[in-house]
Amino acid sequence: MPVKVSVIVPVYNPGIYIEDCISSLQRQSLPPEEYEVIFVDDGSTDETPSRLDALAAEDPRMKVIHQENSGWSGKPRNVGIEASRGEFVMFVDNDDYLGDEALERMYDYGVANGADVVVGKMAGKGRGVPVELFRRNHPRATVENAPLIDSLTPHKMFRRAFLDRIGLRFPEGRRRLEDHVFIAEAYLRAENVSVLSDYVCYYHLRRDDGSNAGFERFDPVGYFKNLREALDVVERYTEPGPVRDKLFRRWLRVEMVERLRARRFLKLPDDYRRELFAEIHEVVVERFGPGVAAGLQPTQQVVAALTAADRYDDVVAFAEWEAGVAPKAAPGHLEWRDGSLSVGFTAEYTSGGEPLTFPADAEATPLDDTPKDVTEAVEWVASQTAARFGQATADLLLRERSSAAQYFQPVRFTRETVPVGDGAEVRLVLRATATVDPADLPTDGVWDALVRVKLGGWTKECRLGPAPVANRPAPDAGVVGGRPALPYWTAPHGNLSLELGTRGKRLGLGRVQQSAVTVTGDQVRARLPLYVPADTEVRLRFVSPQQMVEAPGTLSPAADGTGAVLAAALPAESPSRGVWRVALCLAPDAARPLYTGLPFALRAAGGRVWVAPVPRPGVALRVARRARRVLGAARRRISRLRIGGQ
């Protein structure tokens, strides 16, 4: 059977970090005979070569090529392309990993849309990834109708015939930004690029040891020499005008201006800052016309203008002012509505912890001249931000805590101008309501709520919170889309999170009162502190000392709109005498159904069944539990002593 996808992994001394990569490649949903993995070992000096050889010996999908160290990833990727047999090639770094269905989904999407390049949704763990690009699927994306240029890493799928037809390969040797040169040309020469945004295909990791190649401090002279090569590609395949300016703007914004802003710039040693600034100044003056910087946001325009004017000290002073600017999101209502979680919040920017204020009578004016000093620069930014208030946006994203996968949630918002003092200045406040449908989130886990605020020259994220303890909303857990979902406020910070797949005490079922449970005939009914949008099938487990039986049940919305009513038939196997403990499974169709004990029991005797307290454990059981706790504490103390001794 023809190979659909060849995965190419350049490898150099990854150590244990390659294990997650290997595991994810072996878990792919694409049939084993339809893909291959080519590890190109670029002269590793650790245990990786023998690890890969053993892997290839036991797994026919895995192939290994060993070569002398070439200095960077370009040559290993090119060697992998030449050795590949797939219709498409996919590039993966040795310390990253794929979603389990990534190859199958990206291949199918690329074939369905006739794509030469397929860009899969990315999640960044400890490192930035594009956000705006993955708001929605783009089956036919171009550099003009989508922010493709925001994604210049090589972690994409390419049609092999396309690469061969245009003769596209990576620049080789020890250098930087070889992926920018390759990806820019691919975007500009592809017949179609497809962006898949509804599934996280690629997990981009920052290693705990901080040794990812992209995080090493670079030589500014060599770095910006390589950057010029990417600009050369754009000039080769575009005409002078708005499209070229838009593409150039990406490098000016991301690789230059953003390196000179706020804390990112200030944390660098002064000598390195000066060297970096000097190289950026040279590129800005040499390569970018006025149309490039004019399309930037106000703060970015100021930094670009000061850089072009070679005013290092003012760039530092402006960075010090910007370092104090941050978004703040205050929670509002939080409640279940029509099967979804409605989340209200307000958002605005602060400076030094206080609300940022702007002139009330601001008008949009171009930055025709470089500001004479930082005070004038700040005043111009404030005025332009206020004048662009109609472009300000607020978004709510949910980010899964363990994987960093994130998804935009539907949001409605209004923009409000709030007078300050005598009215000469105003605050710019965004009032928003987001709708979160737990059924749309792909996996169980903890999802943290983040607010993303665009205003003027800032696009920043912050957690949604803190919510004041005195009056924070506390909705019950819900059962939506076949699984439990618990909105809660984190401790001690009071930020909003949503836990999917909740079980045990966190569900709050321990609050059920015995008086809220009734037995009538052969049916038990109980009022539970749970939200359900409609009748929801659940399952109960009845456990006695002699046996355990299960029975279906139904959760229905309570008539008064608060909580849910559980109804279930008593098991036909119930004995005439004894005590039955009761446990509830809220997701009976899950691969591993989990049960949570309810705080009541059923007692049977003489043909009757009635509600009773949960039996307390016997003396022997209590002693055994206490012994386990004592032994556990002793082991932990011994462990701490050993660690301290080391």
Side-chain angles (χ1 to χ4, degrees):
M1 181 175 291
V3 174
K4 291 181 177 179
V5 182
S6 297
V7 182
I8 298 169
V9 187
V11 179
Y12 181 72
N13 286 355
I16 62 171
Y17 294 97
I18 199 172
E19 295 303 326
D20 285 342
C21 178
I22 292 171
S23 297
S24 78
L25 292 169
Q26 291 181 315
R27 290 196 306 268
Q28 289 301 299
S29 61
L30 200 65
E33 66 275 11
E34 294 184 358
Y35 75 100
E36 64 179 358
V37 180
I38 303 172
F39 294 95
V40 183
D41 172 40
D42 197 40
S44 293
T45 58
D46 62 3
E47 301 300 318
T48 303
S50 59
R51 168 71 176 102
L52 294 178
D53 287 341
L55 176 69
E58 66 186 26
D59 190 336
R61 294 170 296 182
M62 309 293 160
K63 300 174 175 57
V64 184
I65 298 173
H66 298 285
Q67 64 180 31
E68 292 185 2
N69 182 255
S70 66
W72 210 247
S73 299
K75 183 174 181 179
R77 292 191 186 112
N78 289 340
V79 169
I81 294 172
E82 299 307 321
S84 66
R85 298 179 295 126
E87 180 183 353
F88 284 82
V89 296
M90 173 84 189
F91 298 107
V92 176
D93 283 350
N94 61 194
D95 38 26
D96 296 335
Y97 64 91
L98 297 179
D100 292 354
E101 301 174 20
L103 297 183
E104 182 176 14
R105 286 178 180 249
M106 293 178 73
Y107 175 84
D108 289 347
Y109 195 65
V111 170
N113 294 294
D116 290 327
V117 183
V118 184
V119 184
K121 183 182 179 75
M122 301 178 72
K125 300 184 70 173
R127 61 191 307 167
V129 296
V131 176
E132 296 298 328
L133 177 60
F134 300 119
R135 275 186 180 269
R136 61 178 180 83
N137 287 345
H138 297 267
R140 302 197 65 82
T142 69
V143 294
E144 296 180 56
N145 67 18
L148 282 176
I149 203 66
D150 287 350
S151 181
L152 290 175
T153 64
H155 314 120
K156 300 164 179 60
M157 191 175 283
F158 301 84
R159 192 180 295 273
R160 170 69 191 274
F162 161 68
L163 299 181
D164 290 343
R165 174 170 55 82
I166 68 172
L168 183 57
R169 296 294 188 268
F170 288 90
E172 297 184 1
R174 184 161 184 81
R175 49 164 297 128
R176 291 277 187 162
L177 304 179
E178 81 292 339
D179 45 359
H180 287 207
V181 175
F182 182 93
I183 300 299
E185 183 167 348
Y187 284 160
L188 292 170
R189 301 186 69 183
E191 292 185 7
N192 185 40
V193 179
S194 294
V195 181
L196 178 65
S197 302
D198 56 10
Y199 178 81
V200 179
C201 298
Y202 197 93
Y203 292 86
H204 204 22
L205 275 65
R206 180 169 188 169
R207 287 164 51 161
D208 295 335
D209 61 4
S211 60
N212 303 73
F215 284 96
E216 297 175 3
R217 181 176 293 182
F218 59 81
D219 165 37
V221 174
Y223 187 89
F224 289 103
K225 176 184 177 182
N226 295 153
L227 185 145
R228 288 177 173 89
E229 296 173 17
L231 302 181
D232 291 342
V233 170
V234 175
E235 288 187 341
R236 188 177 308 127
Y237 296 107
T238 65
E239 297 295 328
V243 173
R244 179 182 292 180
D245 287 348
K246 176 184 177 181
L247 299 180
F248 273 4
R249 195 171 297 131
R250 185 271 174 206
W251 280 277
L252 174 60
R253 172 173 53 85
V254 177
E255 304 297 337
M256 302 179 203
V257 167
E258 291 301 317
R259 295 185 184 278
L260 304 179
R261 291 181 68 184
R263 291 184 176 88
R264 182 179 182 182
F265 187 48
L266 298 175
K267 70 180 182 181
L268 299 174
D270 183 66
D271 58 343
Y272 185 73
R273 285 202 314 237
R274 290 180 181 276
E275 184 181 6
L276 183 67
F277 176 84
E279 289 301 316
I280 291 174
H281 163 73
E282 187 172 325
V283 178
V284 169
V285 172
E286 170 192 316
R287 300 298 294 263
F288 299 138
V292 180
L296 295 173
Q297 294 294 329
T299 50
Q300 297 164 344
Q301 286 189 52
V302 165
V303 175
L306 294 174
T307 302
D310 202 15
R311 287 165 50 182
Y312 171 80
D313 291 339
D314 283 341
V315 170
V316 173
F318 190 76
E320 290 171 343
W321 171 74
E322 261 204 293
V325 176
K328 179 180 179 181
H333 72 267
L334 178 65
E335 59 191 25
W336 293 104
R337 295 179 185 173
D338 301 324
S340 297
L341 191 65
S342 181
V343 184
F345 63 91
T346 60
E348 65 179 312
Y349 272 91
T350 63
S351 179
E354 297 297 324
L356 200 56
T357 59
F358 307 90
D361 57 351
E363 295 182 0
T365 57
L367 187 65
D368 293 328
D369 298 313
T370 306
K372 68 176 185 296
D373 54 33
V374 172
T375 298
E376 184 177 283
V378 171
E379 290 175 350
W380 183 81
V381 166
S383 179
Q384 299 316 296
T385 300
R388 300 180 184 208
F389 186 41
Q391 301 174 18
T393 61
D395 280 296
L396 183 78
L397 294 93
L398 291 184
R399 180 177 296 161
E400 204 275 316
R401 192 174 294 176
S402 64
S403 68
Q406 60 185 20
Y407 293 86
F408 284 96
Q409 305 301 300
V411 172
R412 293 179 291 104
F413 65 87
T414 58
R415 306 177 181 96
E416 180 179 350
T417 302
V418 180
V420 177
D422 61 3
E425 293 187 325
V426 295
R427 293 163 50 201
L428 306 180
V429 180
L430 295 161
R431 300 190 181 277
T433 298
T435 302
V436 177
D437 185 350
D440 290 339
L441 297 173
T443 61
D444 287 349
V446 176
W447 294 79
D448 295 320
L450 295 98
V451 174
R452 180 178 175 87
V453 184
K454 283 187 178 181
L455 176 62
W458 301 287
T459 300
K460 296 177 180 286
E461 295 175 359
C462 64
R463 288 297 306 274
L464 178 50
V469 176
N471 59 355
R472 65 175 53 159
D476 294 330
V479 185
V480 180
R483 57 184 169 177
L486 173 67
Y488 72 97
W489 304 100
T490 62
H493 302 295
N495 297 320
L496 179 63
S497 293
L498 178 68
E499 182 178 352
L500 295 186
T502 315
R503 65 182 293 262
K505 293 181 179 180
R506 288 180 60 77
L507 283 169
L509 297 180
R511 293 181 282 139
V512 176
Q513 300 296 313
Q514 188 174 323
S515 59
V517 186
T518 60
V519 177
T520 305
D522 63 350
Q523 188 177 71
V524 59
R525 294 173 64 87
R527 182 74 170 258
L528 304 183
L530 292 171
Y531 168 81
V532 291
D535 287 354
T536 301
E537 293 183 0
V538 295
R539 196 161 187 82
L540 284 97
R541 177 176 287 171
F542 299 90
V543 182
S544 74
Q546 293 79 28
Q547 65 183 127
M548 178 184 74
V549 295
E550 295 184 358
T554 302
L555 280 175
S556 302
D560 61 4
T562 59
V565 176
L566 170 66
L570 294 174
E573 301 91 336
S574 61
S576 58
R577 298 179 61 84
V579 177
W580 292 74
R581 295 172 183 249
V582 185
L584 174 65
C585 177
L586 296 174
D589 294 330
R592 292 181 59 248
L594 301 174
Y595 286 79
T596 298
L598 297 177
F600 63 87
L602 301 178
R603 182 179 291 275
R608 289 182 56 239
V609 178
W610 65 94
V611 182
V614 175
R616 298 183 63 186
V619 174
L621 182 57
R622 292 200 299 272
V623 170
R625 287 178 176 174
R626 178 172 176 78
R628 284 197 297 268
R629 288 197 297 269
V630 171
L631 287 172
R635 291 191 187 100
R636 288 192 293 272
R637 284 197 297 272
I638 292 171
S639 177
R640 286 196 294 269
L641 287 171
R642 287 174 176 169
I643 293 171
Q646 291 174 350

